[in-house]
Amino acid sequence: MQVVERIIRDDRKLVSLLKEYVDYKCQFPDCDSHIPDENGVNYVEVAHIKAVAKEGKSVIGNLIVLCPNHHKEFDLGARNIFTQNTEIISGLLNGKNFEINLAYNYSYKIK
Ligand SMILES: [Zn+2]
């Protein structure tokens, strides 16, 4: 657990950048989750496809931005990943096909 917490802390910067890149929107197809905080910023979480506890790394290709509901469904649901690389993650989650494009526009923030 300590290791998991340390990894999450170390990756805080990447996590916040990913949320910015996707404009604080859940990346699961057709999700319209809207949980604004007191500043009007939509609440989202960054999920590891391969869990940190199973040595999944906090790198592009293993991280997606999800609403809390889809995050839990990813963790608990019947999941089958077909493709996972730095550009795309696709698979089946509880019988629903999904394809998430990871080709973010990195250039606008990293100068
Ligand atoms: Zn969602």
Side-chain angles (χ1 to χ4, degrees):
M1 197 58 199
Q2 281 177 337
V3 171
V4 170
E5 283 173 4
R6 198 185 69 229
I7 290 170
I8 289 168
R9 262 200 302 277
D10 288 348
D11 299 330
R12 209 183 308 172
K13 192 167 184 184
L14 176 59
V15 162
S16 62
L17 280 175
L18 282 177
K19 290 178 183 176
E20 268 189 67
Y21 291 137
V22 300
D23 204 18
Y24 300 89
K25 285 184 185 130
C26 175
Q27 290 186 283
F28 200 85
D30 302 324
C31 178
D32 59 359
S33 170
H34 192 56
I35 310 170
D37 68 11
E38 61 185 337
N39 299 313
V41 178
N42 195 41
Y43 177 78
V44 284
E45 302 173 345
V46 173
H48 290 80
I49 303 299
K50 187 180 180 187
V52 173
K54 291 179 180 168
E55 297 179 2
K57 299 232 166 36
S58 292
V59 294
I60 306 296
N62 196 45
L63 296 171
I64 49 174
V65 179
L66 295 174
C67 68
N69 281 348
H70 277 121
H71 194 170
K72 269 294 172 230
E73 194 175 1
F74 252 82
D75 289 347
L76 303 175
R79 192 172 73 164
N80 193 353
I81 303 291
F82 303 147
T83 309
Q84 181 183 2
N85 57 46
T86 55
E87 288 173 8
I88 202 163
I89 293 172
S90 74
L92 201 62
L93 179 64
N94 286 336
K96 196 175 171 191
N97 271 300
F98 68 91
E99 188 173 296
I100 295 170
N101 188 352
L102 305 180
Y104 308 118
N105 179 15
Y106 302 113
S107 56
Y108 96 94
K109 197 77 188 174
I110 301 167
K111 288 170 186 167

